[in-house]
Amino acid sequence: MQLNNLIRRLDLVTLQLFVAIHEEGSLTRAATREAIALSAASKRLNELESALGTPLFARQARGMQLTPAGETLLHHARRMLFNLEKIGLELGEHLQGVRGYVRMLANLSAIIQFLPEDLAEFSARHERIKVELEERPSNGVVQGLLDGVADLGICSSDCDTRGLHTVRYKRDQLVLVVQAGHPLAVARQVAFCDTLDNDFVGLHAASSINMRSVEAARRAGKVLRLRIHVPSFDAVCRMVQADMGVGILPRKAFELFGAALGLSAVTLEDEWAERELLLVAREREALSPVSRLLFEHLSGNPC
């Protein structure tokens, strides 16, 4: 496959047509949707497959089905079209006075506990800078920065940051969340190993809290009795309220969600329950001026 020939064939109209064929299951319907003559659409698809050197669709009685090569192209085509749409939106906002964008990834703990106030303060100081924030588990934050989809990230310190530049962001304390009538509710603090006879309501498997809990149970020679996984802190509290088990949350998250439901929080005395969150970037020297401003704001130190 010649690179120059491929680049010529991967124009926006052809990529949009390719995605439309997949979504419509028919070249005829896709051509109508994209306002292209059927003969021209057929020619574009044939030239694209010729340039790639492989068929992208299997022509079947029930419609056109993607081949493995087509599945690969679909992934990249959708990503390219999405990014182009974002370029258009962001450039349009620049015309309306937006000074710049910062793309940021953060784990759930940072988003719930600390970032609302920190970002609100930053936005008040820099009204023309737009921050785009996406929630990911800590390992996903690191991978996202390495993939170049974000400028800054916040992850747990027990995550492998794989050479990224890191500074301390915040600390938090994990607590055991129980019903008010639970035997452990009257304790001021408890060792995690003494909680392991209970069923647990856990966060999603990739979360730092879930991985810490599972590892701590393993070190205690037991298996964490996870009854259910849920995606959010408020969902953990609701499940604990419904007597589905006990849960583990950052203290501030409990104060936001659990206290209002009449639940109790017991401090975990284990060392691993004291956590540090890290602010991460690929290379601080390579940060854009607006990303540098946010980095400086969140770290409390000049870059």
Side-chain angles (χ1 to χ4, degrees):
M1 182 193 315
Q2 292 185 356
L3 180 59
N4 288 340
N5 189 33
L6 175 59
I7 291 173
R8 282 196 299 271
R9 297 280 23 105
L10 288 179
D11 61 272
L12 292 182
V13 174
T14 300
L15 285 179
Q16 288 175 314
L17 174 66
F18 166 75
V19 173
I21 294 170
H22 163 66
E23 292 176 352
E24 298 294 337
S26 160
L27 181 61
T28 301
R29 289 195 297 271
T32 300
R33 173 174 135 180
E34 297 300 313
I36 300 173
L38 180 58
S39 59
S42 179
K43 184 172 183 287
R44 281 182 177 272
L45 178 59
N46 289 335
E47 289 178 347
L48 178 59
E49 290 181 321
S50 176
L52 293 170
T54 184
L56 299 172
F57 293 97
R59 282 71 169 173
Q60 300 176 354
R62 62 178 181 273
M64 300 180 70
Q65 303 294 316
L66 288 172
T67 63
E71 293 279 2
T72 299
L73 180 59
L74 179 67
H75 168 76
H76 293 291
R78 281 178 165 164
R79 186 170 181 178
M80 289 172 65
L81 293 171
F82 174 73
N83 286 337
L84 284 167
E85 182 179 356
K86 287 181 67 178
I87 289 172
L89 289 172
E90 291 181 16
L91 288 175
E93 289 186 322
H94 278 294
L95 295 176
Q96 299 171 27
V98 174
R99 179 182 168 194
Y101 271 79
V102 184
R103 294 160 187 84
M104 187 173 186
L105 305 175
N107 65 8
L108 186 62
S109 293
I111 290 175
I112 293 298
Q113 297 184 94
F114 306 115
L115 281 174
E117 290 76 18
D118 285 347
L119 292 181
E121 183 181 353
F122 179 79
S123 295
R125 294 180 181 179
H126 306 283
E127 295 180 355
R128 294 172 60 195
I129 296 176
K130 187 169 182 178
V131 179
E132 182 179 291
L133 177 63
E134 178 184 335
E135 187 268 323
R136 291 192 184 187
S138 289
N139 287 330
V141 169
V142 170
Q143 188 60 54
L145 262 69
L146 292 173
D147 290 342
V149 301
D151 308 298
L152 303 176
I154 296 177
C155 63
S156 173
S157 62
D158 56 3
C159 176
D160 181 1
T161 54
R162 298 162 65 183
L164 295 173
H165 174 66
T166 66
V167 297
R168 175 180 166 181
Y169 174 53
K170 301 284 188 181
R171 295 187 67 86
D172 68 3
Q173 166 75 47
L174 298 180
V175 297
L176 183 76
V177 180
V178 299
Q179 290 184 326
H182 193 280
L184 289 173
V186 296
R188 293 187 60 187
Q189 60 182 23
V190 63
F192 181 66
C193 62
D194 293 333
T195 72
L196 292 172
D197 290 335
N198 293 276
D199 289 334
F200 275 78
V201 177
L203 285 167
H204 54 84
S207 69
S208 169
I209 293 175
N210 179 73
M211 291 189 289
R212 283 182 179 228
S213 303
V214 170
E215 175 59 20
R218 186 194 65 78
R219 289 199 303 268
K222 295 186 177 182
V223 176
L224 192 67
R225 289 166 44 179
L226 278 168
R227 188 171 183 184
I228 188 171
H229 280 292
V230 294
S232 62
F233 293 152
D234 55 335
V236 170
C237 292
R238 283 288 291 116
M239 290 296 177
V240 172
Q241 184 190 39
D243 200 24
M244 293 291 289
V246 301
I248 296 177
L249 293 181
R251 183 176 296 280
K252 190 168 183 180
F254 166 79
E255 292 169 356
L256 290 169
F257 302 115
L261 297 177
L263 304 177
S264 297
V266 184
T267 300
L268 288 170
E269 62 187 37
D270 304 74
E271 184 177 339
W272 61 266
E274 290 276 353
R275 299 194 308 163
E276 187 172 83
L277 300 177
L278 300 177
L279 174 63
V280 295
R282 289 193 301 279
E283 298 178 30
R284 63 178 186 175
E285 295 82 6
L287 288 174
S288 68
V290 292
S291 297
R292 187 179 292 264
L293 280 173
L294 182 55
F295 185 98
E296 192 172 313
H297 176 76
L298 295 176
S299 67
N301 295 294
C303 291

